[in-house]
């Protein structure tokens, strides 16, 4: 058995804990062998800062004379804790129009769309529409109706999905 002790540092979530060894052989008197169902290794989650492999001692009940293996490798995978939120009605600007050109958004969004933003909880709480620049590049387009990809620029430490990718 792998026993998890403590809690991961803030901002991390446990994805998996796996041992490279599934069985151990113990040497003990017959009565103890009959009552011993398993041995264990303990992972102190409070000391984990990134994914990796640990070498841990196999912990046995009192009275066990020997255990093989004495050490096992345990792989711990962690990920970053993420939170998400919707940012509504983010304005989309038009770029690339010459002075004599005019453009309008044809749909009912009035040049706005929504973003779903996700990343570290402390960072997500502080974000708003003003932290993102959404734009369409209209340079070189002839007169007429066009569907253009909306480009998003925002903070590097978060990710996002745009509700509508074209305008």
């Amino acid at each position: 058995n792998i026993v998890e002790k403590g809690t991961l540092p803030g901002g991390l979530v446990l994805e998996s804990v796996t041992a490279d060894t599934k069985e151990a052989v113990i040497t003990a008197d017959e009565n103890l062998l009959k009552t011993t169902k398993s041995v264990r290794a303990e992972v102190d989650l409070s000391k984990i800062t990134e994914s990796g492999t640990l070498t841990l001692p196999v912990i046995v009940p009192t009275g066990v004379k020997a255990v093989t293996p004495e050490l096992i490798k345990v792989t711990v995978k962690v990920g970053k804790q993420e939170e998400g939120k919707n940012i509504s009605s983010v304005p989309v600007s038009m770029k690339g129009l010459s002075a004599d050109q005019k453009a309008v958004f044809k749909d009912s969004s009035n040049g706005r769309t929504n973003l779903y933003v996700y990343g570290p909880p402390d960072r997500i709480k502080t974000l708003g529409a003003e932290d993102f620049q959404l734009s369409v590049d209209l340079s070189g387009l002839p007169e007429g109706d066009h569907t253009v990809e909306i480009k998003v620029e925002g903070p590097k430490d978060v990710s996002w999905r745009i509700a509508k990718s074209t305008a």
Side-chain angles (χ1 to χ4, degrees), residues 115-153:
L115 284 176
Y116 180 74
V117 184
Y118 51 100
D122 293 353
R123 184 69 173 115
I124 293 300
K125 289 177 192 166
T126 64
L127 293 176
E130 66 279 359
D131 296 302
F132 296 88
Q133 293 76 46
L134 279 59
S135 62
V136 290
D137 184 1
L138 305 178
S139 55
L141 293 177
E143 187 175 317
D145 291 348
H146 300 280
T147 300
V148 183
E149 182 181 343
I150 299 173
K151 296 201 182 331
V152 182
E153 291 181 33

Side-chain angles (χ1 to χ4, degrees), residues 11-154:
L12 293 178
V13 290
L14 187 62
E15 293 179 356
S16 67
V17 177
T18 54
D20 71 342
T21 304
K22 303 294 180 214
E23 293 183 357
V25 177
I26 60 172
T27 304
D29 69 48
E30 196 172 327
N31 289 336
L32 187 56
L33 287 174
K34 287 179 183 176
T35 61
T36 302
K37 301 290 183 220
S38 65
V39 294
R40 71 181 196 278
E42 294 181 350
V43 176
D44 185 352
L45 297 178
S46 67
K47 292 184 169 49
I48 304 294
T49 58
E50 62 186 3
S51 295
T53 301
L54 309 168
T55 300
L56 300 172
V58 175
I59 301 168
V60 295
T62 304
V64 170
K65 296 175 185 159
V67 62
T68 305
E70 292 181 354
L71 299 172
I72 63 169
K73 292 193 183 306
V74 175
T75 301
V76 179
K77 289 188 180 174
V78 295
K80 290 185 179 176
Q81 181 178 16
E82 291 192 328
E83 221 171 74
K85 79 173 182 181
N86 283 308
I87 299 178
S88 300
S89 197
V90 183
V92 180
S93 66
M94 295 182 196
K95 295 182 177 180
L97 285 177
S98 61
D100 62 334
Q101 291 178 310
K102 181 180 168 190
V104 295
F105 291 100
K106 284 187 75 173
D107 64 14
S108 61
S109 69
N110 279 335
R112 295 180 173 275
T113 191
N114 300 332
L115 284 176
Y116 180 74
V117 184
Y118 51 100
D122 293 353
R123 184 69 173 115
I124 293 300
K125 289 177 192 166
T126 64
L127 293 176
E130 66 279 359
D131 296 302
F132 296 88
Q133 293 76 46
L134 279 59
S135 62
V136 290
D137 184 1
L138 305 178
S139 55
L141 293 177
E143 187 175 317
D145 291 348
H146 300 280
T147 300
V148 183
E149 182 181 343
I150 299 173
K151 296 201 182 331
V152 182
E153 291 181 33

